[in-house]
């Protein structure tokens, strides 16, 4: 049986019929504006960044530049498949689209009749960042009163920590990095994960002599390009931030006029920080006192300092507190006053979308439970607390995500998917590990094969992603699948009767962004607020207009059904919060599962070039730790903790602190000799105050494999 797509010829050898504009759909804050060589109605060639987009500036990552390798991959799914073997066997046979959708509707209706509508759980995430294709599944969810989806696997701690100070998820124009005298890249390996940050930072260095500071947990590509690399242990960013602010107050570099006018408790903060100097922070972070002093002096002597704060903060149990502490430095120094200064994390608040048509928000029933995405293992294993003492989940539709590789606490995730009474339909582009665990697999389009619309996260543009080529075989878009199911399930909403283009046009107009016709002509919309709004010169987004050094954590605005984790223990002022999974005698190492340069979560780990460059799963260990444990470079080791064990190859690397291990991920589970991937070791316990998954916050032991 031929399930695969095989291109007729190499797309690189033909001249383009046209050059088309689109946007990168992947879960990276850059949301790059792209130009694509369209060779014919089925084939693309070269992909490059749009030079006339002021943020992308012609630069994109190598992964997307070679997208022809992915979209024309011979292993793409091209027809619906139904499981014929045992659960998880990966044995499938072709089925027609009508029969496939009929089967999904039948199983969903059976589940609803037996357990109620909440036993059906549509599950999705950010495999595409297009608003229509990513979020249209919620329209079906709300129309049918299926269980809600609390998205927690990525942004929650970081967003909350930033908003805790500013009151709003927005900040200085990211293009201002090019006008800065010091760019602090903190908690993101921009060289690997958002290359445009480096575009603007290095421009500032070239044109203005600006300094680049990087703060991270290992010497990655961004740290290597920095003028000052600040290497800290995982989860200790709050201590570093406190020490920097201590020095600003101590050395007379705090902007006391700004503090008096724009912040809530400057005197209390100064008093609190007196005992939190470089010596204190050095013991916690592992960073030398001299480096902390150098960092603080650079910030103190450089008013035009831009803090570019990343998503690494989200991967730690104290991530919200750490993000808040880091963002506070710009308020103490007064960097907000200056073009090229201030703190930025994400621009999500500037787009003011009306999502009612895409998501069906006008049908939300607040009595329906919201299940935590990160706790999928506990949910599928029947934990009463994870299910809110409600019915079991016995039917799922999964789009845009690969939880059997990506979700934390993998042992329980796999146990849950192995249940014989669980029906799973996966709509996918490749036969991922989640697809192999499914009962029904539907072939999905890629972003150049359907129409969608995108918003920048790390920038300020709305971008159109039009359909450029026809999909292979029988691939259908997320939108088409949702419409097909809605019809069979009797779901009613005006969005089920509209094309994706009609939804885009309506959403643009209702949100105040013009028409689809205008966006097609202009290619993107620059939504950046004016300087005074972006820099909060007339006050921050709280009723008293003050930046909050003392957050009221339970009321920080965030899209959450309720509080999670040890909320009452969150620090009242910036601090090092000791809630992290610290090393102990049985587990003397701390493990972070940082992003790999050639993968994006599990996207691209099927393409030959990415696989060739990454080679195999490895764990980085300091030479002295390796010598103590008789671990050799390239030798097999076993990592373990209370959640399980992983066999992996060691990579001896002096760019980590002693006692710290780094495993760049996410490789498929079957890339490991025992079939257990790195997320076997990560926990799914919720992060305060609104949930999350602590992928970089794990204590483990390590030993040579026998």
């Amino acid at each position: 049986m031929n399930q695969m797509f095989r291109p007729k010829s190499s797309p690189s050898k033909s001249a383009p019929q046209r050059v088309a504009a689109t946007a990168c759909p992947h879960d990276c804050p850059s949301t790059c504006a792209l130009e694509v060589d369209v060779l014919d109605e089925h084939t693309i060639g070269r992909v490059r960044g749009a030079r006339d987009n002021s943020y992308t500036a012609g630069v994109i990552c190598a992964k997307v530049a070679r997208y022809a390798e992915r979209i024309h991959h011979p292993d793409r799914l091209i027809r619906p498949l139904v499981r014929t073997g045992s659960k998880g066997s990966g044995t499938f046979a072709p089925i027609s689209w009508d029969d496939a959708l009929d089967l999904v509707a039948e199983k969903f209706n059976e589940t609803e009749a037996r357990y109620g509508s909440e036993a059906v759980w549509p599950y999705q995430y950010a495999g595409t960042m297009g608003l229509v294709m990513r979020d249209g599944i919620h329209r079906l969810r709300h129309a049918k009163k299926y269980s809600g989806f609390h998205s927690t696997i990525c942004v929650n701690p970081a967003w909350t920590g930033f908003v805790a100070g500013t009151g709003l998820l927005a900040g200085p124009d990211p293009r201002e990095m090019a006008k800065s005298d010091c760019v602090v890249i903190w908690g993101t390996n921009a060289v690997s994960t958002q290359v445009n940050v480096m575009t603007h930072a290095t421009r500032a260095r070239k044109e203005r002599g600006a300094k680049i500071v990087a703060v991270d947990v290992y010497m990655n590509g961004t740290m290597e390009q920095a003028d000052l690399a600040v290497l800290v242990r995982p989860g200790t960013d709050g201590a570093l931030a406190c020490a920097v602010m201590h020095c600003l107050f101590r050395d007379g570099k705090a902007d006391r006029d700004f503090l008096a006018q724009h912040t809530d408790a400057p005197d209390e903060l100064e008093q609190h920080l007196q005992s939190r100097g470089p010596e204190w922070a050095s013991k916690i972070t592992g960073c030398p006192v001299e480096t902390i002093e150098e960092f603080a002096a650079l910030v103190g002597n450089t008013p035009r300092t831009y803090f570019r704060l990343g998503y690494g903060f989200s991967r730690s149990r104290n991530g919200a507190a750490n993000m808040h502490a880091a963002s506070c430095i710009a308020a103490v120094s007064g960097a907000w006053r200056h073009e090229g200064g201030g703190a930025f994390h994400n621009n999500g608040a500037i787009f003011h979308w009306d999502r009612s048509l895409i998501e069906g928000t006008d049908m939300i029933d607040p009595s329906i439970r919201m299940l935590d995405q990160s706790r999928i293992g506990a949910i599928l294993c029947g934990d009463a607390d994870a299910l809110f003492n409600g019915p079991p989940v016995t039917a799922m539709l999964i789009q845009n995500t690969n939880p059997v590789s990506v979700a934390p606490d993998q042992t329980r995730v796999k146990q849950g998917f192995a249940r014989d009474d669980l029906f799973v339909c996966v709509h996918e582009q490749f036969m991922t590990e989640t697809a192999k665990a499914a009962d029904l697999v539907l072939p999905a389009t890629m972003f150049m094969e359907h129409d969608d619309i995108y918003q920048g996260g790390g920038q300020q543009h709305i971008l159109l992603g039009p359909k450029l080529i026809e999909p292979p075989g029988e691939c259908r878009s997320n939108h088409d699948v949702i419409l097909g199911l809605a019809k069979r399930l009797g779901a009613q909403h005006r969005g089920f009767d509209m094309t994706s283009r009609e939804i885009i046009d309506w959403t643009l107009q209702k949100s105040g962004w013009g028409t689809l016709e205008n966006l097609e002509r202009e290619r993107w919309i620059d939504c950046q607020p004016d300087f005074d709004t972006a820099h909060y010169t007339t006050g921050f987004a709280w009723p008293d207009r003050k930046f909050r050094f003392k957050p009221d954590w339970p009321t920080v605005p965030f899209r959450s059904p309720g509080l999670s984790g040890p909320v009452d223990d969150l620090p009242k002022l910036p601090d090092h919060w000791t809630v992290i999974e610290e090393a102990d005698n049985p587990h003397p190492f701390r493990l972070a599962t940082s992003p790999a340069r050639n993968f994006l979560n599990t996207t691209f780990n099927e393409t030959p070039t990415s696989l060739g460059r990454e080679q195999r799963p490895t764990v980085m260990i300091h030479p002295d730790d390796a010598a103590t444990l008789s671990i050799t470079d390239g030798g097999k080791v076993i990592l373990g903790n209370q959640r399980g064990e992983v066999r992996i190859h060691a990579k001896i690397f002096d760019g980590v602190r002693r006692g710290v291990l780094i495993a760049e991920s996410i490789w498929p589970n079957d890339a490991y000799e025992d079939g257990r991937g790195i997320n076997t070791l990560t926990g799914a316990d919720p992060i305060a105050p609104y949930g999350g998954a602590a992928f970089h916050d794990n204590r483990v032991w390590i030993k040579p494999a026998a």
Side-chain angles (χ1 to χ4, degrees):
M1 178 194 61
N2 178 19
Q3 303 173 10
M4 312 306 180
F5 168 64
R6 302 191 183 280
K8 296 178 181 178
S9 61
S10 171
S12 62
K13 296 181 180 179
S14 303
Q17 291 182 349
R18 62 191 175 101
V19 177
T22 186
C24 180
H26 289 293
D27 189 12
C28 158
S30 290
T31 321
C32 292
L34 304 178
E35 294 176 353
V36 180
D37 288 351
V38 179
L39 306 187
D40 58 46
E41 64 178 351
H42 295 285
T43 316
I44 68 159
R46 185 181 172 205
V47 180
R48 53 193 174 275
R51 290 186 179 277
D52 52 343
N53 180 276
S54 57
Y55 186 75
T56 301
V59 179
I60 60 172
C61 69
K63 299 184 288 289
V64 173
R66 56 178 184 262
Y67 214 85
E69 184 182 46
R70 186 168 195 272
I71 201 167
H72 301 308
H73 197 293
D75 292 341
R76 276 193 69 175
L77 294 166
I78 62 168
R79 66 187 63 177
L81 302 169
V82 64
R83 177 171 64 85
T84 57
S86 59
K87 194 89 169 181
S89 66
T91 306
F92 294 89
I95 184 174
S96 73
W97 264 105
D98 282 341
D99 288 347
L101 295 178
D102 287 346
L103 177 61
V104 177
E106 175 188 336
K107 293 295 186 180
F108 281 20
N109 285 334
E110 286 178 0
T111 291
E112 184 173 355
R114 182 174 182 184
Y115 294 108
S117 63
E118 289 181 319
V120 180
W121 192 25
Y123 190 98
Q124 55 79 235
Y125 203 52
T128 176
M129 297 297 282
L131 302 188
V132 177
M133 300 301 165
R134 183 188 65 191
D135 298 329
I137 194 172
H138 296 308
R139 195 182 329 120
L140 181 65
R141 180 196 315 279
H142 300 322
K144 291 295 295 177
K145 299 186 186 298
Y146 296 148
S147 275
F149 183 82
H150 181 28
S151 58
T152 58
I153 214 162
C154 184
V155 305
N156 300 31
W159 283 16
T160 306
F162 188 86
V163 175
T166 62
L168 194 70
L169 190 64
D173 189 334
R175 294 166 296 196
E176 287 184 27
M177 283 184 283
K179 302 176 181 179
S180 177
D181 295 325
C182 177
V183 180
V184 179
I185 302 171
W186 195 335
T188 179
N189 181 9
V191 166
S192 293
T193 62
Q194 43 182 322
V195 66
N196 306 97
V197 168
M198 300 306 298
T199 298
H200 298 284
T202 54
R203 180 182 167 191
R205 178 159 62 187
K206 180 178 180 181
E207 296 180 0
R208 302 176 57 84
K211 299 296 184 182
I212 297 176
V213 179
V215 183
D216 217 314
V217 297
Y218 72 117
M219 290 298 296
N220 51 44
T222 306
M223 294 278 276
E224 290 170 355
Q225 290 196 25
D227 299 290
L228 176 62
V230 184
L231 183 63
V232 298
R233 296 191 183 105
T236 63
D237 309 78
L240 175 65
C242 286
V244 170
M245 291 186 285
H246 168 99
C247 294
L248 294 177
F249 280 113
R250 180 199 67 193
D251 299 338
K253 300 299 183 179
D255 187 333
R256 295 193 179 274
D257 290 340
F258 185 89
L259 288 165
Q261 183 178 355
H262 291 289
T263 70
D264 63 341
D267 294 338
E268 191 173 347
L269 176 67
E270 183 176 11
Q271 178 65 32
H272 167 74
L273 293 173
Q274 285 185 3
S275 61
R276 289 162 173 81
E279 292 81 6
W280 168 83
S282 180
K283 294 175 183 177
I284 296 168
T285 64
C287 185
V289 170
E290 295 77 14
T291 302
I292 298 172
E293 291 278 7
E294 183 180 358
F295 180 23
L298 182 58
V299 171
N301 293 320
T302 314
R304 207 179 294 266
T305 294
Y306 193 107
F307 290 84
R308 183 61 177 86
L309 306 173
Y311 284 91
F313 293 97
S314 271
R315 279 53 163 169
S316 182
R317 288 171 177 80
N318 58 4
N322 287 344
M323 169 64 88
H324 174 250
S327 73
C328 288
I329 301 174
V332 173
S333 70
W336 288 99
R337 294 183 186 271
H338 308 284
E339 185 178 34
F344 179 86
H345 173 57
N346 182 286
N347 245 338
I350 72 173
F351 298 106
H352 50 76
W353 292 112
D354 182 328
R355 298 179 179 269
S356 59
L357 189 57
I358 292 175
E359 299 186 25
T361 54
D362 50 341
M363 298 183 295
I364 291 177
D365 182 343
S367 69
I368 299 297
R369 68 183 178 183
M370 293 276 286
L371 298 180
D372 186 338
Q373 170 195 19
S374 297
R375 302 196 69 198
I376 184 174
I379 288 164
L380 295 186
C381 287
D383 281 16
D385 64 331
L387 291 164
F388 294 93
N389 296 306
V393 169
T394 61
M396 298 181 72
L397 169 65
I398 299 177
Q399 290 184 324
N400 310 326
T401 189
N402 183 16
V404 177
S405 294
V406 169
D409 200 8
Q410 278 284 299
T411 300
R412 301 197 75 193
V413 173
K414 293 175 186 175
Q415 290 172 352
F417 271 94
R419 283 171 38 206
D420 287 329
D421 66 331
L422 173 68
F423 172 79
V424 177
C425 173
V426 172
H427 187 202
E428 251 297 355
Q429 298 162 348
F430 291 92
M431 187 60 77
T432 64
E433 289 173 308
T434 306
K436 290 177 184 176
D439 301 282
L440 186 67
V441 180
L442 306 178
T445 51
M446 292 191 185
F447 75 103
M448 298 183 205
E449 300 162 352
H450 55 239
D451 295 302
D452 214 336
I453 189 172
Y454 304 87
Q455 70 174 52
Q459 49 137 315
Q460 61 288 308
H461 289 102
I462 292 170
L463 303 102
L464 182 65
K467 181 178 178 179
L468 304 182
I469 59 173
E470 294 298 323
E474 301 175 38
C475 294
R476 293 188 185 181
S477 73
N478 292 1
H479 178 67
D480 289 337
V481 169
I482 296 302
L483 265 55
L485 289 176
K487 180 179 179 180
R488 288 165 171 80
L489 292 163
Q492 300 293 317
H493 190 271
R494 65 193 188 281
F496 295 135
D497 299 316
M498 300 172 69
T499 67
S500 56
R501 288 177 60 85
E502 289 170 337
I503 291 174
I504 292 168
D505 189 40
W506 186 95
T507 301
L508 283 166
Q509 293 190 52
K510 289 295 183 180
S511 305
W513 297 118
T515 65
L516 173 56
E517 181 182 2
N518 291 337
L519 182 55
E520 282 186 304
R521 182 174 60 252
E522 301 296 332
R523 294 184 290 165
W524 49 73
I525 303 168
D526 189 338
C527 305
Q528 180 62 42
D530 60 64
F531 178 89
D532 289 333
T533 301
H535 284 256
Y536 302 98
T537 62
T538 60
F540 289 88
W542 295 109
D544 62 1
R545 314 300 290 169
K546 305 287 190 181
F547 181 94
R548 289 188 174 178
F549 292 132
K550 297 181 67 176
D552 181 18
W553 289 108
T555 65
V556 174
F558 188 74
R559 55 181 197 202
S560 174
L563 299 172
S564 299
V567 179
D568 293 340
D569 297 332
L570 274 156
K572 307 305 180 187
L573 286 161
D575 213 338
H576 171 59
W577 188 25
T578 57
V579 72
I580 57 177
E581 228 179 57
E582 280 285 13
D584 57 18
N585 287 334
H587 311 89
F589 288 86
R590 302 204 64 231
L591 169 70
T593 60
S594 302
R597 184 166 190 170
N598 293 284
F599 300 154
L600 204 168
N601 299 318
T602 60
T603 304
F604 299 101
N605 68 15
E606 70 285 318
T607 55
T609 302
S610 290
L611 288 169
R613 292 181 178 181
E614 295 297 332
Q615 296 186 348
R616 65 185 181 186
T618 60
V619 61
M620 302 177 192
I621 183 171
H622 191 278
D624 293 342
D625 288 330
T628 299
L629 296 170
S630 300
I631 291 171
T632 59
D633 191 41
K636 290 183 182 179
V637 295
I638 305 174
L639 306 178
N641 60 17
Q642 69 275 22
R643 303 179 188 104
E645 295 183 6
V646 172
R647 290 177 177 268
I648 194 170
H649 290 269
K651 179 179 179 179
I652 296 178
F653 180 55
D654 62 4
V656 294
R657 295 279 178 213
R658 291 206 64 180
V660 175
L661 305 174
I662 304 292
E664 292 185 330
S665 55
I666 301 173
W667 286 87
N669 289 297
D670 61 14
Y672 298 79
E673 69 175 44
D674 58 3
R676 292 194 292 265
I678 201 66
N679 280 324
T680 302
L681 305 173
T682 58
D685 50 301
I687 296 173
Y690 297 126
F695 290 105
H696 297 351
D697 185 1
N698 313 282
R699 58 177 165 232
V700 298
W701 49 261
I702 183 172
K703 64 182 181 181

